[in-house]
């Protein structure tokens, strides 16, 4: 079975500082990994994904994430946080071996950027 | 990019009535769509996988007779909450993937259901 852990319910960062939102995963085979962002009363917006290749993935709005196979992690990062980055962030994994498109989500991390 | 439209964005209904939520893929065909439920300050819970032209696959613990899913075309899936009760009040989100595999899921904007 596949699973995702986001160990931090809440992350607070001062505007202009770098931010990191943590994610670790567990799958039986090779993972497809995704990050999504959710604003209040809205659906999820896709930020970036890791499928294969370069471990550092760049996505929307200046976000990036680093795939670390040995640590089974896929942390989301941004060099300089904006107030508008405040939102709920979800990490998700799809198990390639499962043969379906089902995504398993982490519990989410609420990111608050402090002006 | 791929767009998923979900309607209505919010609905209030009385206990005992049924509510239908529509999910459309606007610029791509989706053989598979997913329905999620999200409780306040919680993650998304997958309710069911909607397959075009066949029966939906429900996750364990989800009542298929209460949450009716129909996926009659490659661009439309519907979720009907039958005989709604206040405990069904929640945020329901649909998603679809155009080509599967490495494609990310694209999400609708969700439907806020309130049962009074």
């Amino acid at each position: 079975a596949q699973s995702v852990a986001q160990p931090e319910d809440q992350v607070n960062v001062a505007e202009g500082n770098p931010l990191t939102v943590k994610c670790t995963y567990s799958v039986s085979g090779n993972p497809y990994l995704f990050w999504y962002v959710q604003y209040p009363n809205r659906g999820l917006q896709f930020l970036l994904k890791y499928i294969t290749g370069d471990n550092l993935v760049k996505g929307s709005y200046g976000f990036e994430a680093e795939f670390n196979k040995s640590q089974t992690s896929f942390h989301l990062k941004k060099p300089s946080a904006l107030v508008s980055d405040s939102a709920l962030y979800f990490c998700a994994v799809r198990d390639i071996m499962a043969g379906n498109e089902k995504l398993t989500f982490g519990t989410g991390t609420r990111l608050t950027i402090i002006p | 990019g791929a767009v998923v439209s979900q309607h209505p964005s919010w609905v209030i209904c009385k206990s005992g009535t049924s509510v239908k939520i529509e999910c459309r893929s606007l610029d791509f065909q989706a053989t598979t769509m997913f329905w999620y439920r999200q409780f306040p300050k919680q993650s998304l819970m997958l309710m069911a996988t909607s397959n075009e032209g066949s029966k939906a696959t429900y996750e364990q613990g989800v009542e298929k007779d209460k949450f009716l899913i129909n996926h009659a075309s490659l661009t439309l899936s519907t979720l009907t909450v039958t005989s709604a009760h206040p405990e069904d009040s929640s945020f329901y989100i649909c998603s679809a993937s155009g080509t599967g595999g490495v494609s990310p899921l694209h999400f609708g904007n969700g439907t806020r259901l309130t049962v009074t």
Side-chain angles (χ1 to χ4, degrees):
Chain A
Q2 57 200 52
S3 66
V4 176
Q6 291 181 245
E8 301 158 317
D9 292 336
Q10 174 83 40
V11 171
N12 297 325
V13 177
E15 185 179 19
N17 282 3
L19 69 87
T20 298
V21 182
K22 296 179 180 178
C23 171
T24 58
Y25 66 89
S26 174
V27 296
S28 55
N30 291 320
Y32 292 156
L33 293 157
F34 304 83
W35 273 102
Y36 289 84
V37 58
Q38 184 181 32
Y39 296 98
N41 294 311
R42 301 294 295 271
L44 276 65
Q45 294 180 31
F46 168 72
L47 280 180
L48 52 80
K49 66 180 179 182
Y50 171 81
I51 303 300
T52 186
D54 194 347
N55 289 343
L56 184 63
V57 178
K58 294 186 183 297
S60 306
Y61 312 119
F63 283 94
E64 58 187 32
E66 185 166 11
F67 172 65
N68 187 315
K69 188 172 183 178
S70 63
Q71 297 185 6
T72 61
S73 67
F74 189 57
H75 302 330
L76 182 69
K77 299 181 180 183
K78 186 172 183 179
S80 179
L82 301 173
V83 173
S84 57
D85 293 330
S86 298
L88 188 57
Y89 290 79
F90 289 99
C91 182
V93 66
R94 178 184 292 154
D95 188 346
I96 301 172
M97 297 297 292
N100 59 50
E101 299 173 29
K102 189 183 298 186
L103 275 185
T104 298
F105 287 87
T107 50
T109 298
R110 185 163 300 281
L111 175 66
T112 300
I113 308 302
I114 303 167
Chain B
V3 177
V4 175
S5 174
Q6 188 171 341
H7 179 81
S9 56
W10 60 271
V11 58
I12 301 173
C13 71
K14 291 187 176 181
S15 197
T17 61
S18 296
V19 174
K20 180 185 284 187
I21 302 170
E22 293 187 349
C23 181
R24 295 180 184 272
S25 56
L26 297 186
D27 51 0
F28 66 101
Q29 294 183 330
T31 54
T32 304
M33 292 185 176
F34 300 91
W35 287 96
Y36 291 86
R37 183 173 180 177
Q38 186 178 30
F39 294 97
K41 299 185 179 181
Q42 292 191 29
S43 187
L44 283 77
M45 181 192 78
L46 179 64
M47 298 175 67
T49 302
S50 172
N51 304 298
E52 187 269 335
S54 65
K55 291 182 178 180
T57 304
Y58 290 82
E59 296 298 302
Q60 191 172 8
V62 178
E63 299 176 61
K64 61 180 180 181
D65 294 331
K66 180 167 189 61
F67 298 100
L68 300 180
I69 291 173
N70 184 280
H71 194 157
S73 77
L74 286 170
T75 59
L76 174 64
S77 175
T78 60
L79 168 68
T80 301
V81 183
T82 63
S83 186
H85 290 95
E87 57 265 31
D88 299 325
S89 298
S90 193
F91 194 56
Y92 294 87
I93 311 175
C94 72
S95 68
S97 175
T99 55
V102 302
S103 297
L105 289 184
H106 300 280
F107 287 79
N109 278 332
T111 298
R112 171 75 58 194
L113 170 63
T114 302
V115 184
T116 60

